[in-house]
Amino acid sequence: MEIPTPAERDALFEEFARALFKHDMEALYRVVSPEFVWRYHDGVSPEVVLVGREAILKHLEEKKTFFATSRFHEIVYHPVVSFMTFGVSEIVRSTGERREQHGIEHYTFEGGKIATKDVYRKPIIR
């Protein structure tokens, strides 16, 4: 397993995030392995396992339709272990409900590219 250097990893994640936010599957698959798997758990709904361009694009479109806003904050990429911690503030489009969650994303690599993304989110209780 080829693990990217910190600089290579930072560049991968920058391109990865840009592709996700633009819903650009062509750009996404330039930085993920062909067998890329994304496990998504938001702390509210059952876990979703996304495999393939169509499943990922459908997931992104569903989230875009469901949330009026979704802004990540306090993002930290950890250099020794490949995981990211974050907070996220969202507003459900249909109800106006505001949600605050914190979470972690764990990444693995294959062939110098991102192979898996495991997402775990939990509501913030105040």
Side-chain angles (χ1 to χ4, degrees), residues 3-26:
I3 297 175
T5 67
E8 291 169 334
R9 189 189 59 244
D10 290 347
L12 273 176
F13 283 136
E14 184 177 324
E15 292 178 47
F16 181 73
R18 185 178 300 120
L20 283 178
F21 287 117
K22 290 183 176 182
H23 299 190
D24 184 343
M25 294 299 102
E26 197 68 33

Side-chain angles (χ1 to χ4, degrees), residues 43-64:
V44 179
S45 307
E47 180 187 47
V48 175
V49 179
L50 305 168
V51 177
R53 296 169 190 249
E54 294 79 19
I56 293 168
L57 190 56
K58 180 181 176 193
H59 174 76
L60 295 173
E61 292 298 329
E62 287 172 352
K63 294 302 168 199
K64 182 178 179 180

Side-chain angles (χ1 to χ4, degrees), residues 71-76 85-89 100-101 124:
R71 302 285 183 249
F72 285 78
H73 46 86
E74 300 175 34
I75 295 170
V76 178
T85 58
F86 62 90
V88 62
S89 304
E100 294 286 332
Q101 294 185 320
I124 297 172

